[in-house]
Amino acid sequence: MRTFLIAGNWKMNAGPSEAGKLAKEIAGTWKGKTFSSEALICPPFVSIAAVSKEFEGTQFKVGAQNVHTEDNGAYTGEISTSMLKDANCEYVIVGHSERREYFHETSELVAQKGKKVIDDGLKAIVCVGEVLEERKAGKHEDVVKEQVNAVLDLLDGDVSDQFVIAYEPVWAIGTGETATPEQAQEMHKFIRSLLTEKFGDDISQKIRILYGGSMKPENSEELLSQTDVDGGLIGGASLKADSFSKIIEISESI
Ligand code: PEP
């Protein structure tokens, strides 16, 4: 019942010229073919227009990697939801572990951003995940519960169409190390139980939970085959047109 979401996070890579070329390549790999998964690229802010232009008339969607909680005003360097809508974005990633770590974003701020995105009619991909020490100490579920519940506390009603969670164990991001399919499924199942507590079974079954952390063509089939894994948030492999397209192709075969 849940459509796979295959989302690329380009992080601070690819300015407008490079991003346009890469987007064209990605779209080109699917020329004349359609897919039933949803596919999304989140480039840096300055490259959104270039990517959006190349994706015109294709199934590929564009999103952003961050947003501010205010509509406009004296917030130098920030971008609002209305600007992202105007720029053709459909999704916004919030609370990526790199933002939590390097920009000191707390679970409360991430939750406010997620709510703002949803209230303003965009779709939020809220990232959660534990660091290695927390997993080793057996605290991974507690950490993820705190991060997920901070967002759930601010949400009400059926948000299933606008709310996506990405479970990204921090120790697996950009490291080449992946959670095993079993570790991923265990955590995704746990997250779904938190969603069920909050929203009930009907709504929780509709909310997508993505896995992120060194997903690539070689490991995506096993990960995407897990019951509660509804797609991927993909960093490194989304910067190569053939790898990203291959993951979409694999999702189609599951
Ligand atoms: C990410 O940036 O969200 C990510 C999962 O990166 P990578 O796929 O490179 O580990």
Side-chain angles (χ1 to χ4, degrees):
M1 77 186 288
R2 298 181 293 268
T3 305
F4 279 125
L5 173 59
I6 307 300
N9 171 18
W10 284 358
K11 312 193 188 199
M12 198 173 71
N13 295 294
S17 322
E18 193 187 339
K21 272 189 219 145
L22 184 52
K24 191 174 182 171
E25 242 190 284
I26 290 176
T29 58
W30 283 90
K31 207 166 178 187
K33 294 181 281 180
T34 57
F35 47 82
S36 54
S37 297
E38 233 185 308
L40 167 75
I41 290 291
C42 300
F45 288 133
V46 293
S47 302
I48 288 172
V51 171
S52 176
K53 184 164 170 271
E54 295 299 338
F55 284 172
E56 251 173 45
T58 77
Q59 288 184 269
F60 288 92
K61 298 177 175 181
V62 188
Q65 300 172 17
N66 183 31
V67 73
H68 196 267
T69 52
E70 295 296 328
D71 289 322
N72 47 52
Y75 301 98
T76 303
E78 293 295 322
I79 298 283
S80 69
T81 50
S82 59
M83 293 172 188
L84 294 179
K85 275 162 84 173
D86 194 8
N88 213 21
C89 286
E90 185 169 330
Y91 284 87
V92 186
I93 298 170
V94 298
H96 191 281
S97 61
E98 288 150 16
R99 295 221 53 93
R100 292 180 190 256
E101 181 180 354
Y102 305 133
F103 303 96
H104 314 292
E105 292 195 10
T106 61
S107 291
E108 289 64 38
L109 178 60
V110 172
Q112 284 163 15
K113 289 186 176 192
K115 179 174 163 49
K116 178 71 179 160
V117 168
I118 291 170
D119 283 352
D120 291 351
L122 288 159
K123 298 174 181 177
I125 301 176
V126 180
C127 302
V128 300
E130 80 286 356
V131 299
L132 188 59
E133 295 70 42
E134 292 162 340
R135 177 157 283 265
K136 279 186 176 160
K139 291 188 184 146
H140 43 294
E141 288 196 347
D142 293 342
V143 170
V144 167
K145 184 176 181 176
E146 181 271 328
Q147 294 172 343
V148 170
N149 280 344
V151 190
L152 298 188
D153 283 349
L154 302 189
L155 301 182
D156 270 312
D158 187 349
V159 290
S160 55
D161 194 37
Q162 289 177 272
F163 180 41
V164 176
I165 293 185
Y167 169 57
E168 302 206 300
V170 180
W171 46 272
I173 297 180
T175 58
E177 202 169 319
T178 346
T180 63
E182 294 72 29
Q183 283 172 324
Q185 170 55 23
E186 193 180 49
M187 185 60 91
H188 283 228
K189 191 175 168 197
F190 174 67
I191 293 172
R192 197 166 313 281
S193 75
L194 300 174
L195 296 174
T196 304
E197 262 174 48
K198 165 75 187 188
F199 298 115
D201 201 42
D202 280 0
I203 293 176
S204 112
Q205 286 299 329
K206 290 191 281 181
I207 296 175
R208 289 174 294 180
I209 307 172
L210 314 184
Y211 169 80
S214 300
M215 188 184 266
K216 46 187 183 257
E218 296 75 23
N219 59 27
S220 56
E221 182 168 5
E222 263 200 305
L223 287 161
L224 293 172
S225 299
Q226 302 304 308
T227 314
D228 289 290
V229 177
D230 309 313
L233 183 54
I234 301 147
S238 70
L239 286 161
K240 292 181 215 111
D242 52 345
S243 301
F244 188 66
S245 291
K246 185 76 193 164
I247 297 174
I248 299 172
E249 200 181 305
I250 288 166
S251 75
E252 291 292 291
S253 69
I254 294 169

